[in-house]
Amino acid sequence: MCRAIGALLAVALALQVVAASRLHLGSDGERSASSAGAQPLRVSLRRLPLVPETRAHQRNRSALLTTQSVGDGEADVPITNFMDAQYYGEIGLGTPPQSFQVIFDTGSSNLWVPSSKCSYLSIACYLHSKYYAERSRTYKEDGRDFAIQYGSGQLSGFLSQDTLTFGGLKVTGQIFAEAVMEPSLAFIAARFDGILGMGFPEIAVGKVLPPFQNMLEQKLLPEPVFSFWLNRKDEGKEGGELVLGGVDPAHFVGEHTWAPITRRGFWQFKMDGAAIEGPAGGAYCKGGCQAIADTGTSLLVGPPEVIDDINAAIGAEPVLVEQCKELVHQYLPQLIKIINDMPPQAVCQTVGLCSAAGVGEDRRVLSKSAQYRRLLAMYGQGSGDASLAAERQPEGGAAQAEGAVEAEGAAAQEGGAAQKGGVANDGCQMCQFVVQYVKIALANNETIAQILHNLDRACETFSFGSGGESVVDCKALPTMPSVTFTISGKDFTLRPDQYVLKIGAAGEEQCVSGFMGLDVPAPLGPLWILGDMFIGPYHTVFDYGNERVGFATAA
């Protein structure tokens, strides 16, 4: 309930602040092709606080890497810093320009904004600026279907054509998508209206020419290059700057280290390796691995098993471990009272941790999980020491625990609770694990203290998904190790204060690890994603003409 109220407040705040900071570009603010060589246009935008829903969106948008689907003069663009997690700026569409806040995303290649024709089911559409074709003198119909599959659902709509006002430049005939359906709460709470992709044309949905390449064809830029500076130092100034057609020397020190593009699509290149300093550290990406520079991803993303090792080395603990412990201590008394009268799914539904539609998660996740059975067996004898319990477990113990789980699964399916093809939410899954264990523990006459102790240990052992979000103790930052990435023979080191994201106000601050796992299958993966956590400390140049990416220490 508190999370829901917080989300609503965040939405209200977003509407107020974005409306206050939006700059409407009229005819005086536009710059034609003939004046493209004039001084850069700079617009200062505000920096806004981070909310959990935004982090959810960042996780979900990573699905674009593997699930895109296809339907039938120099200018500066200031970027606002969303608490070091979301950078966006303003564009205009139509004549006169209709203003939109968009993420400038090098991890995709399409421009989309909400449509005035959006579905009444798309709440996110009604909470953001919408494009009205009938209000533009330069609108042209396209009509082809458009769809992008996010982790939280499909964003869909249709293609249209109009003039794009981008940092003062007028890009004529730009094809973009009008979104009529936007999925998930993440888009509802987001401070941005849409996304402007800056990847290569090869990954554009519908084979649409991306805005940057359209600018080059119309000869609006002096050079086929753009660069990002993300301000992560001065809280009192703008969030950053995107320079189209050039590089601002004031935004970096020294020289850029260049890595050639290894595959056109994303801005993909070879990374030589990664390492963590100190005795707890290690080396990763041995022999080299593929990486992309992605301004649309907040964190540093890598293969889940590697990210687990990195988070363990820096002292980060999975968020779900703490949530599991909190669930145990908060709900155990209620669970014990009703635990013998109904199956686990119904028990968890009764205490509000499983929905009526979500109580029957895919039984393959729980009852068929080798780790799940092993944990039940491990803690099923009432030992306060997990390792001793594992050593003393009789040969029939695991089978007994597995049998109990299978019996509960059969009972749940007989009761019509089994969900078809889905997986329950984390809280529901954790609750059912707790219920299964408590039933065994009570049968073994364990005390409440023993049950609590063993469940705390089980929470630390049980994996609810590799590579997930992890947290660290904010007080431990001064003693945490640095992490180094090697690109084209040069080391790029991140300090703890650079790879840890601080969320919340003073006194209630939470420190989130900047490392998150994503399993990108072959042939595209495995893949590392160097998001804003890396691009912030290291000024990044995207050289389209020479097909290379450059990194230098940000000023």
Side-chain angles (χ1 to χ4, degrees):
M1 179 62 72
C2 291
R3 181 180 291 272
I5 294 174
L8 290 175
L9 291 175
V11 171
L13 177 61
L15 294 174
Q16 293 174 358
V17 179
V18 171
S21 64
R22 183 167 288 129
L23 173 66
H24 297 279
L25 294 177
S27 58
D28 292 339
E30 298 174 351
R31 189 189 310 164
S32 65
S34 61
S35 60
Q39 290 297 315
L41 174 67
R42 303 173 187 271
V43 181
S44 295
L45 301 178
R46 296 183 63 181
R47 184 178 314 209
L48 299 172
L50 180 64
V51 294
E53 289 74 21
T54 301
R55 283 144 59 203
H57 167 71
Q58 292 290 336
R59 292 190 292 270
N60 291 334
R61 75 164 298 281
S62 298
L64 280 172
L65 290 170
T66 54
T67 57
Q68 285 187 324
S69 60
V70 179
D72 248 304
E74 183 175 305
D76 297 344
V77 180
I79 303 169
T80 194
N81 177 357
F82 195 10
M83 279 290 287
D84 291 342
Q86 187 178 96
Y87 295 83
Y88 59 91
E90 183 166 323
I91 65 168
L93 278 170
T95 306
Q98 301 172 41
S99 298
F100 298 93
Q101 305 291 333
V102 297
I103 289 178
F104 299 116
D105 179 19
T106 59
S108 65
S109 296
N110 286 89
L111 166 61
W112 66 261
V113 296
S115 173
S116 61
K117 301 176 180 64
C118 59
S119 168
Y120 67 91
L121 297 176
S122 181
I123 300 175
C125 178
Y126 288 97
L127 295 176
H128 292 85
S129 296
K130 295 180 286 293
Y131 172 78
Y132 293 84
E134 63 274 15
R135 297 179 183 178
S136 173
R137 299 191 301 272
T138 47
Y139 162 77
K140 291 184 180 179
E141 182 180 358
D142 185 299
R144 286 177 291 167
D145 291 336
F146 174 87
I148 289 182
Q149 185 67 40
Y150 286 88
S152 55
Q154 188 183 73
L155 183 144
S156 59
F158 57 92
L159 297 178
S160 293
Q161 183 181 129
D162 212 332
T163 296
L164 166 64
T165 305
F166 195 152
L169 300 179
K170 292 174 61 177
V171 187
T172 60
Q174 178 63 51
I175 297 177
F176 65 99
E178 295 189 46
V180 298
M181 178 61 72
E182 298 179 39
S184 84
L185 179 63
F187 283 105
I188 295 175
R191 267 55 170 180
F192 60 90
D193 300 312
I195 292 177
L196 191 149
M198 304 189 75
F200 285 83
E202 281 80 354
I203 60 171
V205 174
K207 298 182 179 179
V208 172
L209 188 65
F212 180 72
Q213 284 74 20
N214 207 359
M215 293 180 203
L216 295 179
E217 285 203 357
Q218 297 182 29
K219 303 185 184 304
L220 300 178
L221 302 174
E223 293 182 75
V225 63
F226 61 90
S227 55
F228 276 88
W229 170 67
L230 306 181
N231 181 14
R232 302 173 79 88
K233 297 179 180 179
D234 194 337
E235 295 288 336
K237 293 186 177 181
E238 71 274 21
E241 192 170 75
L242 161 63
V243 180
L244 297 165
V247 178
D248 188 342
H251 291 332
F252 65 93
V253 295
E255 300 292 332
H256 285 86
T257 296
W258 298 99
I261 296 300
T262 55
R263 177 187 293 168
R264 284 174 60 99
F266 305 109
W267 287 88
Q268 183 172 334
F269 57 93
K270 180 185 177 182
M271 184 168 71
D272 299 334
I276 299 178
E277 68 174 9
Y284 311 96
C285 179
K286 296 180 180 178
C289 52
Q290 293 296 304
I292 66 174
D294 184 6
T295 58
T297 295
S298 301
L299 308 181
L300 288 152
V301 180
E305 64 279 4
V306 178
I307 294 301
D308 284 344
D309 288 344
I310 292 177
N311 277 328
I314 65 174
E317 187 174 62
V319 170
L320 290 179
V321 170
E322 288 302 316
Q323 292 178 347
C324 180
K325 292 179 180 179
E326 291 176 5
L327 181 150
V328 168
H329 288 264
Q330 180 177 355
Y331 290 99
L332 184 61
Q334 300 177 53
L335 295 177
I336 290 178
K337 291 179 182 179
I338 59 176
I339 206 164
N340 291 321
D341 299 327
M342 56 186 74
Q345 294 88 348
V347 172
C348 295
Q349 183 183 356
T350 300
V351 297
L353 293 174
C354 290
S355 65
V359 294
E361 67 275 19
D362 191 336
R363 298 306 303 173
R364 291 171 297 179
V365 175
L366 292 179
S367 61
K368 303 293 185 184
S369 167
Q371 184 182 39
Y372 184 75
R373 298 195 301 267
R374 184 169 65 253
L375 278 168
L376 287 175
M378 181 184 298
Y379 296 104
Q381 297 302 307
S383 171
D385 189 298
S387 59
L388 291 178
E391 292 173 4
R392 293 202 300 260
Q393 180 65 34
E395 293 181 1
Q400 178 184 6
E402 180 178 346
V405 177
E406 295 292 349
E408 295 294 348
Q413 292 184 14
E414 290 175 5
Q419 179 186 13
K420 295 180 180 180
V423 178
N425 62 66
D426 298 323
C428 184
Q429 181 182 344
M430 286 187 286
C431 177
Q432 292 187 69
F433 165 72
V434 170
V435 171
Q436 296 284 13
Y437 166 73
V438 173
K439 283 196 172 189
I440 296 174
L442 291 176
N444 290 336
N445 296 317
E446 287 190 18
T447 66
I448 298 299
Q450 288 176 315
I451 293 175
L452 284 172
H453 176 78
N454 288 336
L455 281 175
D456 279 347
R457 298 292 299 275
C459 286
E460 295 172 356
T461 308
F462 186 45
S463 173
F464 295 100
S466 182
E469 187 174 273
S470 297
V471 294
V472 300
D473 183 354
C474 293
K475 297 179 181 178
L477 259 64
T479 60
M480 290 169 60
S482 295
V483 181
T484 298
F485 297 86
T486 304
I487 301 171
S488 296
K490 182 175 176 58
D491 289 342
F492 295 85
T493 299
L494 297 180
R495 305 184 308 269
D497 62 299
Q498 293 174 321
Y499 67 70
V500 170
L501 180 65
K502 291 186 178 181
I503 300 171
E508 297 183 1
E509 198 169 61
Q510 183 184 38
C511 289
V512 179
S513 167
F515 298 100
M516 188 172 70
L518 177 66
D519 186 15
V520 181
L524 183 59
L527 195 65
W528 287 75
I529 306 174
L530 304 187
D532 298 339
M533 283 282 180
F534 185 88
I535 296 174
Y538 295 103
H539 178 267
T540 305
V541 178
F542 298 83
D543 188 343
Y544 184 77
N546 294 306
E547 296 192 4
R548 60 180 184 171
V549 183
F551 303 99
T553 301

